[in-house]
Structures are given as C-alpha cells and as structure tokens.
Amino acid sequence: SEAEELREQLQNIEAADTVKEKISKEIDRLEKIPTSSAEGGVVRTYIEWLLELPWEKETMDDLDIHLAEKILDEDHYGLEKAKERVLEYLAVQKMVKVMKGPILCLAGPPGVGKTSLARSIARSLGRNFVRISLGGVRDEAEIRGHRRTYVGAMPGRIIQGMKSAGSKNPVFLLDEIDKMAMDFRGDPSSALLEVLDPNQNTTFSDHYIELPYDLSNVMFITTANAVSQIPRPLLDRMEVLTISGYTELEKEQIAKTYLYPKQLKEHGLSKEQMQIKREAMLKIIRNYTREAGVRNLERTIATLCRKAAKQLLAGNRKRIIITEKNLPQYLGAEKVRYGKAEDEDHIGVVTGLAWTEVGGDTLSIEVSVLPGKGKLMLTGKLGDVMQESAQAAFSYIRSRADFFNIAPDFHEKYDIHIHIPEGATPKDGPSAGITMVTAMVSALTDIPVSRDVAMTGEITLRGRVLPIGGLKEKSLSAHRAGIKHVLFPKENEKDLEDIPESILNDLTFTPVSHMDEVLKLAL
Ligand code: ADP
C-alpha cells in the first residue's frame, strides 16, 4: 500500500530520530484518512517534502587550492583580483573548518560573471550548487514558507533550494539580494538575516516544514548590482567583492575563448561549420550590444549559432562564415550607434558620465536659456540629490557671472531649463555637477562644447571639484561611447590605477580641481 511504500522510503533516508518520528507519525495519520479526501493530498505532499529534504546527506568536502585555482581559470578569463580574493576566502574557510566567517557578496553589473564564479566555487569544492533569485521578493513567506493550514501552502525558497540541492552542504547562491522589497506582509530581510546568521541558522524554521532545519553547513554566497541598496544589517554580515565591467579587448577575448566555443557546443556545431570573423565579433560588441558585462554578447552569439544551424540543415551549405558584411543578414539592423557621443560641437550640450546599476553610462545634459525671471527648470526624472546639485551649479554661475562674461542680471531676464534625455530613466547623484555648470555656461555664452569631452565631478558653491565614485565603470562607458577626453576630479587620481591599460591608451584623462579648469578645457 501507499503507506508501506512511504515507510520503506523512510527506512532509507538519513535524518535525526526526531525527524523520522515526525514522518512516521504523519504516515500513520495518512493511513487513517480516506484516500479520496482532499486532506489526504495535503498530508501526502507534506510527507514527500520531509522525505526528500537532505537532512543529513552531505557531499564530501574537499578543497585543493591548486585545483580551485585551475577551475576558476578554466571557467573565466581575467578577473584576477576577484579570483585571488575567492581563493583567499576558500583558504580561510578551510582553515577554520566551520563556516562562521562573513558571507561573500559578489557585486557588479549584470553579465560580468558573478553567477558563474559562484558555480565555479561549488565545482572546486566538490559541492552541489543551487541558486535562487531574491529579486522582487517582498513577502517574508517567500523565504520562510506558508503554514500548512493555507490552501496551496509550500515551503519557502530556502527549503525549496535545499531540496533541489540534494545535500545539506551545497553552495547556495542568493541572487540579487539588493532587489528585495519590503511591504506590509513583513520584511523578508529579517528572515534572511536568520538564514545567514551562524548563531541562528542551525535551527532555521520554515512555516511549512515545522521542524527546525540545519543550514549551518551551507556556503551562502550573495550577488548584488548596487551594494548601497542592501539592507544595512545584511550588509554587515557580508564581505563585498566588487567586479566591474569589461573593456572591449576583454570582451573580445571572452567571446573568442569562452562564449563562442561554449555556444558552438550547446548548438552541436563544430568550428568548421560556423566561424565568426574577428571584425564581425567586434561589430557585435560595438553595434549590437552595449553593456558592461557579456550577457547580451553571449545571447547574440547564441542567436548566430541557431541561425547557422538552421541554414546548415536547410540548405546544402557545409559551412557558415559570419563576416562584418553579412552580419546584418543574421542580426538585423545595428542596434547601437557606436560612439553615441554627439556628431558636432553643440552649444549647451555636454556629455556627463554616470554610474548606474548596470554599469557606467554616458548622459547628455542639455541646457536652454529662455526669456523669463530666473527660474531653474529641471526635467528628465532627476533625483533629489541631482536637483540640489543643479541648484548649486546655478548659484555658482550667478556668483561668477562677471568672470564668465555673462550679464550679471541674466537671472532676472532668463529662465534656465536643464534637461537630461532618456527621461524615463531615473538619474541621481551629485557627480553631474561640473557637467551642468559647463552646459549652463555654454548656453549663456553661446560657446560650443567640444563633443569628444566627457566629464564627471561634484561641485561646491565655490567651484571646487569634489571626488566621485565609480570612475572605472564611467571610463569604460566613455570608451564604449567613443569619447576621447575625460575630465575627472583630481582627488580621484588614485583610482586611475584600476583602469585597464587599453582604456588609458585610448583616452586622455585630465584631473581637475576647480571649475575654471573644466571650462578652459571644455569650451
Ligand atoms: P552575472 O551573474 O554577473 O549577471 P553571469 O555569471 O550569468 O553574470 O555571466 C554571464 C555569462 O558570461 C555566463 O555565461 C558567463 O560564463 C560568461 N562570463 C562572464 N564573465 C566571464 C569571464 N570573465 N570569462 C568567461 N566567461 C564569462
């Protein structure tokens, strides 16, 4: 009978006596319920969950640092710093034996290899790997499950993850921990705090499972796009490892040695059957994808493989060679204009550099001067900090009107409108300060701004240029946009050492400490 079958399964699982007793009791209960009743189904599902959870089952943990290093290199191009930190982290874990240390948080834009690094960590430890996404989780029950009295109750994502891991010591990736939300149904981050706390997670309680579950052997790793969005108490438990975007050269290498062979294999093609010429690959990077990571690049290569496979089968062709010329036949018209920077010098338009969750980006700041009474209008979905920064920029110009050869009473006769296009994207932060001043001065004096200059820097009321964050991501995006010259705060000079060689060779970086220097260089 069914109950006998379940009892037999119970014999074969590894679990503490308390767990086995509980399951046994539930099986007894199931026997007494008529098979046709709905309650039977609920009890059966519950028993199945308890039987399938890895209570004691674990994989042999073996860490060989040399092997780990080899695996990390095998799976990833570059990422030297990140790999080094991962290896140190693994070494410490091995020394202390019990996982009590901080939790690794891999932070960076999409498609830079965070998930894939975590996978390699699992592989090098010989542990199973599971991943759950926390993006959009806003309900505590999604972490901790619903009580069984609920219709359609289920365990939370942690227990679901453990079931698919199949062992009690997997590497467990909590993806997008910065994208969790909070609302009236409770705060998922406090439940997560319990999951990650070594003092509490030996007896993690899931509302559905009801029995305490031991998570202390799990190696949790988290990922985030924006570290600043992670709830503070969670962040305190983590050691953040930042991974930034790739340069064009790095992308070419990744595509050639990793993504292309991987996609060929997944589509059952050989190198003889489909080739992508180097110029075509560069065009994909420049004109069909515009991103900090390589996610869309990989997708685009997959698209080419798919189309090639079809052509090989449909026609009598033996090989497909993708060239710069025939690329549009496969991918359609170019999606991005490489070097989005302006075509000519404009009055009142300046390119700024911004840091966003998906990496760096260029933004064009436009200023118009209209007859009016000194009103400052701001459009383009600017955040509070950015609006204040615009006010500061405006005040600075008023205080220096003389010097700029602007009529001292300009603010009584004109309104100033600052617009930052792509208005639907929210923008914030103080780092567009010097860009806004430059655009305003250009608009008020009719002097055009060099189109191949981009800039970033906060401004004070006295015109001092203050440091900003994310210079590396910003420089990568300037390079993607075809900018030639970057003005950045002098106090950020130390960050230049993080910027890849190829970018330093292609762009001129000029440190500035005062607004006067910026204007001299840009106008
Ligand atoms: P993330 O988790 O950061 O969004 P993924 O790990 O999903 O990014 O990476 C997207 C794809 O790009 C994966 O197929 C991954 O293997 C590949 N990839 C990313 N970085 C590298 C790299 N440095 N070397 C080789 N492949 C990479």
Side-chain angles (χ1 to χ4, degrees):
S1 75
E2 185 187 24
E4 272 160 30
E5 242 168 63
L6 292 172
R7 281 207 186 86
E8 204 179 303
Q9 282 183 41
L10 178 57
Q11 293 286 318
N12 296 324
I13 69 165
E14 293 170 61
D17 289 342
T18 45
V19 174
K20 290 189 169 176
E21 275 158 30
K22 170 89 178 169
I23 300 177
S24 180
K25 259 193 210 138
E26 291 294 322
I27 298 176
D28 293 346
R29 225 179 97 197
L30 182 64
E31 261 182 327
K32 295 193 189 94
I33 304 171
T35 28
S36 57
S37 88
E39 203 197 341
V42 174
V43 177
R44 197 172 304 119
T45 312
Y46 180 56
I47 296 172
E48 280 163 5
W49 269 102
L50 294 186
L51 285 171
E52 281 167 28
L53 266 183
W55 294 96
E56 292 298 331
K57 199 159 138 201
E58 75 188 301
T59 55
M60 268 285 285
D61 224 9
D62 80 276
L63 172 67
D64 171 346
I65 285 285
H66 295 295
L67 180 69
E69 193 171 353
K70 210 178 126 235
I71 288 178
L72 288 175
D73 284 338
E74 228 169 72
D75 296 349
H76 302 95
Y77 172 85
L79 294 176
E80 306 308 337
K81 264 195 195 160
K83 287 177 187 165
E84 190 61 31
R85 285 275 302 277
V86 166
L87 290 173
E88 286 166 12
Y89 181 82
L90 293 178
V92 172
Q93 297 291 339
K94 183 169 170 110
M95 295 301 235
V96 299
K97 299 222 168 49
V98 276
M99 306 263 174
K100 283 240 155 110
I103 282 146
L104 205 55
C105 172
L106 304 172
V112 293
K114 300 183 297 295
T115 312
S116 126
L117 265 179
R119 243 180 238 286
S120 300
I121 292 176
R123 194 152 85 86
S124 59
L125 287 168
R127 289 181 179 221
N128 295 344
F129 179 77
V130 267
R131 166 184 172 272
I132 64 168
S133 174
L134 294 172
V137 167
R138 48 177 63 244
D139 187 346
E140 198 202 348
E142 291 190 53
I143 303 291
R144 222 193 256 292
H146 284 289
R147 290 183 198 291
R148 270 181 296 135
T149 45
Y150 254 64
V151 176
M154 283 252 276
R157 296 192 188 199
I158 299 295
I159 290 293
Q160 290 183 27
M162 292 313 295
K163 181 180 147 191
S164 53
S167 64
K168 69 169 186 175
N169 63 337
V171 169
F172 198 133
L173 188 69
L174 301 165
D175 219 358
E176 304 196 307
I177 198 161
D178 55 332
K179 300 283 187 306
M180 260 181 338
M182 198 195 299
D183 69 5
F184 63 93
R185 280 167 292 191
D187 177 3
S189 71
S190 66
L192 210 56
L193 205 54
E194 187 188 322
V195 170
L196 299 181
D197 182 352
N199 296 318
Q200 296 183 61
N201 71 7
T202 48
T203 56
F204 173 69
S205 69
D206 181 281
H207 292 320
Y208 179 87
I209 294 296
E210 281 183 355
L211 292 161
Y213 187 88
D214 184 2
L215 291 171
S216 63
N217 299 292
V218 177
M219 180 187 243
F220 287 106
I221 298 178
T222 63
T223 78
N225 294 139
V227 172
S228 61
Q229 305 289 317
I230 303 177
R232 190 74 223 186
L234 279 173
L235 188 58
D236 286 343
R237 305 220 69 87
M238 296 184 212
E239 180 179 334
V240 177
L241 204 174
T242 309
I243 304 177
S244 29
Y246 296 115
T247 64
E248 209 167 71
L249 284 175
E250 288 171 323
K251 287 182 185 178
E252 271 193 276
Q253 281 304 322
I254 294 173
K256 194 170 106 195
T257 39
Y258 292 85
L259 307 179
Y260 164 65
K262 187 162 115 196
Q263 290 303 325
L264 278 182
K265 201 164 148 215
E266 278 182 25
H267 289 82
L269 296 169
S270 71
K271 280 198 171 139
E272 283 66 47
Q273 287 173 307
M274 188 192 106
Q275 253 180 46
I276 305 176
K277 289 275 183 217
R278 184 166 174 243
E279 300 73 47
M281 196 67 94
L282 193 61
K283 205 170 169 68
I284 299 175
I285 294 171
R286 288 186 171 170
N287 300 103
Y288 287 90
T289 60
R290 187 193 185 86
E291 56 181 348
V294 293
R295 188 173 287 174
N296 290 323
L297 178 55
E298 181 167 32
R299 266 188 215 143
T300 309
I301 296 173
T303 305
L304 290 174
C305 289
R306 221 168 44 233
K307 300 208 176 214
K310 188 181 154 223
Q311 282 193 340
L312 286 168
L313 288 178
N316 36 21
R317 295 172 65 179
K318 292 252 166 339
R319 70 192 299 184
I320 308 278
I321 297 175
I322 314 268
T323 62
E324 193 181 354
K325 235 189 175 152
N326 67 16
L327 196 59
Q329 289 170 27
Y330 293 91
L331 299 177
E334 293 173 14
K335 301 219 166 58
V336 219
R337 232 171 75 215
Y338 176 69
K340 194 173 78 171
E342 303 299 328
D343 299 331
E344 47 187 297
D345 296 355
H346 281 294
I347 291 170
V349 180
V350 186
T351 307
L353 297 173
W355 181 89
T356 67
E357 290 189 9
V358 294
D361 205 356
T362 52
L363 40 98
S364 137
I365 294 187
E366 302 176 357
V367 172
S368 282
V369 178
L370 319 154
K373 292 204 173 63
K375 220 170 62 187
L376 182 62
M377 280 177 289
L378 302 166
T379 52
K381 235 181 168 191
L382 316 192
D384 290 346
V385 179
M386 207 171 203
Q387 296 198 18
E388 284 176 6
S389 172
Q391 294 286 354
F394 187 55
S395 300
Y396 169 68
I397 291 179
R398 279 184 58 182
S399 72
R400 298 272 287 171
D402 223 10
F403 177 79
F404 295 139
N405 269 330
I406 300 169
D409 58 350
F410 82 91
H411 60 275
E412 286 163 12
K413 292 185 183 144
Y414 301 106
D415 284 346
I416 288 194
H417 185 168
I418 302 182
H419 179 65
I420 308 188
E422 284 174 55
T425 324
K427 310 164 191 84
D428 206 0
S431 72
I434 65 172
T435 323
M436 291 196 270
V437 173
T438 308
M440 280 193 254
V441 172
S442 163
L444 285 164
T445 56
D446 280 343
I447 302 174
V449 185
S450 320
R451 70 194 155 89
D452 47 12
V453 174
M455 56 184 78
T456 175
E458 182 174 349
I459 186 148
T460 70
L461 288 177
R462 302 271 172 282
R464 239 161 52 81
V465 180
L466 299 184
I468 46 84
L471 189 63
K472 180 171 176 191
E473 293 292 350
K474 287 175 176 175
S475 322
L476 291 177
S477 75
H479 189 256
R480 283 199 289 277
I483 295 287
K484 294 280 173 288
H485 192 174
V486 172
L487 309 182
F488 71 101
K490 189 153 177 56
E491 282 177 61
N492 283 103
E493 258 181 323
K494 59 177 189 327
D495 299 338
L496 283 181
E497 65 185 52
D498 295 333
I499 296 178
E501 201 60 44
S502 64
I503 303 285
L504 290 176
N505 290 339
D506 282 359
L507 303 183
T508 310
F509 285 85
T510 310
V512 287
S513 50
H514 195 276
M515 201 54 224
D516 295 353
E517 298 165 54
V518 177
L519 295 174
K520 230 180 262 156
L521 290 160
L523 298 183

